[in-house]
Amino acid sequence: MFERINGHEQVLFCNDPDTGLKAIIAIHNTTLGPALGGCRMRPYASTDEAIEDVLRLSKGMTYKCAAADVDFGGGKSVIIGDPLKDRTPELFRAFGQFVESLNGRFYTGTDMGTTPGDFVHALKETNCIVGVPEEYGGSGDSSVPTAQGVLYGLKASNNVMYGSDELSGKVYSIQGLGKVGFKVAEKLLEVGADIYVTDINEKAIKNLVQVAEGLKGNVKFVEGNEIYSVPADVFVPCALGGIINDETIEQLKVKAVVGSANNQLLKDEHGTYLQQKGILYAPDYIVNAGGLIQVSDELYNPNKARVLAKTRAIYDTLMEIYQNSKAQSISTAEAANLFCDSRIESRKKRNSFFSHKKRQKWAVRN
Ligand code: NAD
């Protein structure tokens, strides 16, 4: 087991027979600050599968936090259970107690399979919770800054491709009209861009038709996998992971891929294949950090202007990664990982006397 968690600082198995809670909390790296990462609930086929997931996701959070410059480290938790049957207030209170036992080393909140309301129960046992409803001190819908981050990512990518940030006058293909994709689609139509869209949910499509009336851009709907082969300037994945793979790369007729979906590359090498095909890839964890920026900001007395400023910085970070990728002749995915590694390394060399708990008190007082 120790070999398996090599590279992680701590893995905690949480077992509470009274509530049926079986959870795993993984803390990958706290160089930049306490670990932060959501809590995913899934009926994992085995404990092994749950361990694999939590180890992979917590490592990803270390990179995402480093890229977003939020002074948190990487962590994640998973609850082994069926979100449709097993989500009880007692289970989340028990989970909150385990989080509290880590004494500020780990902050968590909602992820796939859990809701902000679940964490209202956990909040009764620990303050190390983010993303609760606004009436409980949360900062509201995190998909708003996430969509803003995607739009900044599109602007930076357009700048690299066309020498201008302008979003209008281009064609975008959007997969997924959920909380993030819908907002991105609406903004693009507003500025006069044309979009192809697909979603498995007909209601989302109907809603976009209504919204599109009166907006400058045109919208065209396509079925399922057709979205990969429509001719467009940018493919904007806002639904599934693993959609950049051997099959889809062959079909893409775009100049760039910029979207919110997590883990877009099926494998790391698909970042290189995109580069070889001349397609600019905006690393997902750089572009989709707006939500993380917002929930981490909650812990410093929420401030919407600060969230917007940090989300806007996604533009500059992405430009730096594009430049590094070009200068070093490496893929943008590799350049993003190196960018984060160097941020973490440089912090290791500098001892901070301003601890996280002190910083929180400072933020609340100011
Ligand atoms: P969501 O669940 O609100 O929306 C996803 C949409 O994709 C839904 O409308 C769904 O019907 C559609 N969809 C599912 N399968 C599809 C398919 N095969 N083809 C086309 N459409 C399909 O999720 P969201 O919050 O909008 O997030 C979208 C993506 O961005 C996810 O990968 C998520 O992990 C990631 N992300 C979201 C946030 C956030 O703040 N919400 C932050 C970071 C990353």
Side-chain angles (χ1 to χ4, degrees):
M1 179 53 109
F2 276 102
E3 259 176 30
R4 193 168 179 192
I5 62 167
N6 200 8
H8 281 72
E9 290 179 13
Q10 189 177 7
V11 179
L12 178 71
F13 287 80
C14 317
N15 190 30
D16 183 55
D18 289 345
T19 60
L21 175 76
K22 283 190 189 329
I24 310 171
I25 298 173
I27 296 179
H28 176 252
N29 188 308
T30 57
T31 305
L32 299 180
L36 173 67
C39 173
R40 182 169 282 197
M41 185 166 189
R42 272 186 63 189
Y44 290 98
S46 65
T47 307
D48 223 47
E49 193 183 280
I51 296 172
E52 198 59 41
D53 210 25
V54 77
L55 292 180
R56 188 180 56 85
L57 293 166
S58 54
K59 185 175 176 189
M61 286 306 295
T62 298
Y63 279 79
K64 197 162 171 168
C65 289
D69 199 17
V70 293
D71 282 356
F72 282 90
K76 200 86 180 186
S77 49
V78 295
I79 295 177
I80 303 170
D82 184 343
L84 298 176
K85 291 196 305 219
D86 303 330
R87 287 173 32 248
T88 61
E90 295 74 26
L91 182 133
F92 281 95
R93 281 191 83 138
F95 179 68
Q97 287 178 352
F98 281 106
V99 172
E100 181 62 12
S101 76
L102 289 165
N103 199 22
R105 265 173 67 70
F106 177 62
Y107 287 74
T108 193
T110 182
D111 197 86
M112 262 168 57
T114 59
T115 67
D118 294 330
F119 289 90
V120 170
H121 305 296
L123 193 61
K124 290 177 184 154
E125 304 290 346
T126 179
N127 279 331
C128 297
I129 298 292
V130 293
V132 285
E134 280 180 271
E135 59 274 29
Y136 290 93
S139 50
D141 182 358
S142 67
S143 67
V144 175
T146 303
Q148 277 168 341
V150 173
L151 292 163
Y152 283 120
L154 288 169
K155 281 173 180 249
S157 306
N158 282 355
N159 194 335
V160 166
M161 293 186 293
Y162 304 111
S164 154
D165 286 359
E166 201 53 62
L167 293 172
S168 63
K170 312 270 182 325
V171 182
Y172 303 85
S173 48
I174 305 177
Q175 183 180 49
L177 292 173
K179 293 185 289 296
V180 179
F182 195 93
K183 294 179 182 75
V184 172
E186 194 177 358
K187 183 70 194 175
L188 290 174
L189 290 171
E190 209 176 286
V191 298
D194 291 338
I195 58 175
Y196 289 99
V197 292
T198 189
D199 197 298
I200 50 169
N201 177 359
E202 275 185 26
K203 202 169 155 212
I205 293 178
K206 278 189 191 142
N207 286 345
L208 191 68
V209 172
Q210 274 187 354
V211 166
E213 275 175 33
L215 295 180
K216 283 197 258 172
N218 298 304
V219 55
K220 196 168 173 192
F221 295 95
V222 297
E223 288 289 334
N225 290 346
E226 246 185 273
I227 198 74
Y228 300 119
S229 56
V230 291
D233 291 281
V234 189
F235 173 44
V236 188
C238 293
L240 311 162
I243 35 75
I244 302 297
N245 53 48
D246 290 345
E247 267 177 43
T248 58
I249 289 178
E250 282 307 309
Q251 297 170 53
L252 288 175
K253 293 188 189 72
V254 293
K255 296 186 181 68
V257 176
V258 184
S260 74
N262 276 315
N263 305 321
Q264 290 167 28
L265 304 177
L266 184 63
K267 293 185 188 155
D268 288 349
E269 57 258 38
H270 290 115
T272 310
Y273 298 162
L274 281 177
Q275 187 193 21
Q276 287 164 351
K277 227 189 145 190
I279 297 175
L280 186 67
Y281 170 62
D284 46 17
Y285 67 80
I286 306 284
V287 170
N288 70 17
L292 166 74
I293 289 168
Q294 176 162 300
V295 295
S296 61
D297 190 81
E298 267 176 31
L299 299 166
Y300 299 97
N301 219 7
N303 181 317
K304 285 199 188 310
R306 186 168 55 207
V307 170
L308 183 61
K310 293 200 86 163
T311 304
R312 199 180 293 124
I314 288 174
Y315 178 98
D316 300 317
T317 304
L318 195 55
M319 287 302 264
E320 195 173 333
I321 284 161
Y322 284 155
Q323 277 157 15
N324 294 350
S325 144
K326 195 171 172 200
Q328 297 168 40
S329 300
I330 53 175
S331 73
T332 53
E334 286 174 273
N337 289 348
L338 288 175
F339 176 89
C340 296
D341 283 337
S342 95
R343 247 188 196 170
I344 295 165
E345 275 308 306
S346 75
R347 184 73 67 80
K348 269 188 196 159
K349 294 185 189 120
R350 214 179 314 125
N351 284 330
S352 174
F353 297 105
F354 196 30
S355 78
H356 185 71
K357 283 215 159 142
K358 274 192 218 155
R359 204 181 298 139
Q360 260 180 288
K361 278 188 199 143
W362 172 85
V364 171
R365 269 195 275 117
N366 290 276

